């Protein structure tokens, strides 16, 4: 099997060192085995995505010495594909509409009888208020958030072990064959949103559908996404899609040890370029050869 890796930035701000690390690692891993490195622009959040950031991404990646196979996939072109997948999940009774606001969820999760709200990969674990609407009636509803019914997903997949191969390491050093714990999925992840009202999809749904559409065999990305991988593997199984291997890498931190965010423009690749750094300097800072 030839290796296919990808870098999947959202064009919502400048690429910083953490992005450069992910991109160079994905490129190097593909190159080392004569494989293919692909790019995907994750622009489903149209309120924050900007063409000028996309242009800057191409410019920065080319400056870093990377090249990628054309065409570049854009998630904004793929809304009908996401809708098809949601429709399948809907017909199988695995998703349900949710009308709760963030405030409703926070209030209901912190009601005195609930104890301390549980925090999952997407924030507060949804307390299940709208779950009884699961039974699919009629066609897939529009303009409403859709949540995965994690209990129904468990029932559909049964108790066969769900695993993925970790080539890098999770935040606590998790590596090798990782088994997903259903109890954690149901209680600690819960009914995550698969389609947001304004987008018609979500990061989790799109990333799974698109990694499969691009034939990705290895996903290099930051260790902050390690916990979300359980969601991705569950979706892959529900949709009969292959599970790639994952290479979660350490996060590049600032001098104070804080992880970098898009707003940390001081760490933007463009800023390093302006300051006279070379691509080799960026590789060295990221610990890459
Ligand atoms: N667009 C996501 C990000 O920039 C990609 C995450 C992933 O690689 O799965 O964080």
């Amino acid at each position: 099997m030839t290796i296919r890796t990808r870098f999947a930035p959202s064009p919502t701000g400048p690429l910083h060192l953490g992005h450069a690390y992910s991109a160079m690692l994905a490129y190097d891993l593909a190159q080392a085995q004569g494989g293919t490195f692909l790019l995907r622009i994750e622009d489903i959040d149209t309120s924050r995505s900007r063409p000028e950031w996309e242009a800057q991404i191409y410019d920065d990646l080319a400056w870093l010495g990377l090249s990628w196979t054309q065409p570049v996939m854009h998630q904004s072109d793929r809304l009908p594909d996401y809708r098809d997948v949601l429709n399948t999940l809907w017909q199988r009774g695995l998703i349900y509409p949710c009308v709760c606001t963030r405030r409703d969820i926070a209030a209901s999760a912190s009601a005195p009888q609930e104890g301390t709200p549980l925090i999952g990969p997407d924030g507060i674990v949804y307390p299940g208020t709208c779950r009884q609407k699961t039974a699919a009636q009629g066609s897939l509803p529009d303009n409403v958030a859709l949540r995965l019914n994690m209990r129904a997903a468990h029932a559909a997949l049964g108790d066969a072990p769900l695993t993925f191969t970790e080539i890098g390491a999770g935040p606590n050093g998790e590596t090798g064959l990782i088994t997903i714990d259903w109890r954690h999925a149901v209680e600690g992840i819960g009914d995550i949103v698969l389609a947001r009202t304004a987008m018609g999809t979500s990061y989790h749904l799109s990333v799974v559908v698109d990694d499969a559409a691009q034939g990705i065999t290895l996903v290099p990305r930051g260790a902050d996404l390690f916990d979300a991988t359980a969601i991705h593997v569950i979706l892959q199984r529900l949709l009969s899609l292959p599970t790639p291997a994952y290479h979660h890498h350490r996060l590049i931190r600032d001098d104070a040890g804080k992880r970098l965010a898009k707003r940390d423009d001081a760490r933007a690749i463009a800023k390093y370029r302006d300051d006279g750094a070379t691509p080799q300097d960026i590789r060295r800072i990221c610990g890459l050869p």
Side-chain angles (χ1 to χ4, degrees):
M1 183 171 67
T2 39
I3 178 173
R4 285 166 78 86
T5 66
R6 52 76 167 173
F7 176 55
S10 302
T12 54
L15 291 190
H16 59 58
L17 280 178
H19 296 108
Y21 185 22
S22 284
M24 293 186 297
L25 183 63
Y27 178 80
D28 289 0
L29 288 165
Q31 285 292 105
Q33 293 182 47
T36 306
F37 169 66
L38 295 148
L39 203 54
R40 180 168 75 233
I41 300 295
E42 300 213 322
D43 55 355
I44 47 174
D45 185 351
T46 47
S47 67
R48 292 170 61 226
S49 298
R50 299 273 178 278
E52 50 275 28
W53 291 127
E54 184 177 335
Q56 178 85 53
I57 288 170
Y58 299 137
D59 202 47
D60 284 343
L61 294 180
W63 177 78
L64 285 167
L66 311 192
S67 55
W68 48 92
T69 302
Q70 298 291 346
V72 172
M73 179 179 275
H74 287 78
Q75 290 192 325
S76 54
D77 291 338
R78 296 185 39 77
L79 296 179
D81 300 85
Y82 307 140
R83 182 94 189 150
D84 282 353
V85 169
L86 287 167
N87 205 17
T88 306
L89 295 171
W90 173 255
Q91 298 306 332
R92 290 167 62 193
L94 294 168
I95 54 176
Y96 61 89
C98 174
V99 294
C100 295
T101 61
R102 272 177 214 274
R103 190 187 291 180
D104 296 335
I105 295 169
S108 132
S110 55
Q113 70 278 13
E114 300 292 337
T116 316
L118 271 173
I119 305 296
D122 278 358
I124 295 180
V125 174
Y126 182 59
T129 323
C130 292
R131 190 180 301 131
Q132 67 280 9
K133 299 173 191 162
T134 296
Q137 287 167 345
S139 51
L140 178 67
D142 265 329
N143 296 320
V144 65
L146 297 164
R147 287 184 181 274
L148 177 67
N149 183 334
M150 196 59 93
R151 288 163 176 77
H154 184 194
L157 293 175
D159 276 322
L162 278 186
T163 58
F164 68 92
T165 300
E166 174 62 60
I167 289 171
N172 300 308
E174 303 91 332
T175 194
L177 191 68
I178 309 289
T179 301
I180 290 151
D181 175 7
W182 268 114
R183 194 167 146 204
H184 171 68
V186 169
E187 291 170 13
I189 296 176
D191 295 357
I192 41 106
V193 170
L194 288 190
R196 297 191 183 282
T197 315
M199 291 181 196
T201 184
S202 62
Y203 160 65
H204 298 304
L205 185 82
S206 298
V207 81
V208 162
V209 173
D210 293 346
D211 279 339
Q214 289 189 298
I216 302 303
T217 63
L218 175 62
V219 174
R221 60 185 183 187
D224 53 331
L225 286 165
F226 179 82
D227 287 341
T229 310
I231 301 172
H232 302 166
V233 174
I234 289 168
L235 288 173
Q236 286 153 2
R237 286 313 137 81
L238 288 173
L239 298 166
S240 303
L241 298 174
T243 293
Y246 290 85
H247 185 139
H248 290 95
H249 62 71
R250 72 188 167 83
L251 301 178
I252 309 265
R253 299 186 182 271
D254 66 10
D255 299 335
K258 232 175 85 256
R259 72 172 270 225
L260 299 173
K262 283 242 166 88
R263 61 187 171 279
D264 292 322
D265 287 2
R267 298 297 162 136
I269 299 306
K271 179 79 171 58
Y272 280 91
R273 291 173 64 178
D274 289 349
D275 290 348
T278 65
Q280 205 45 49
D281 293 330
I282 307 289
R283 281 191 168 267
R284 190 179 32 78
I285 299 169
C286 294
L288 286 170

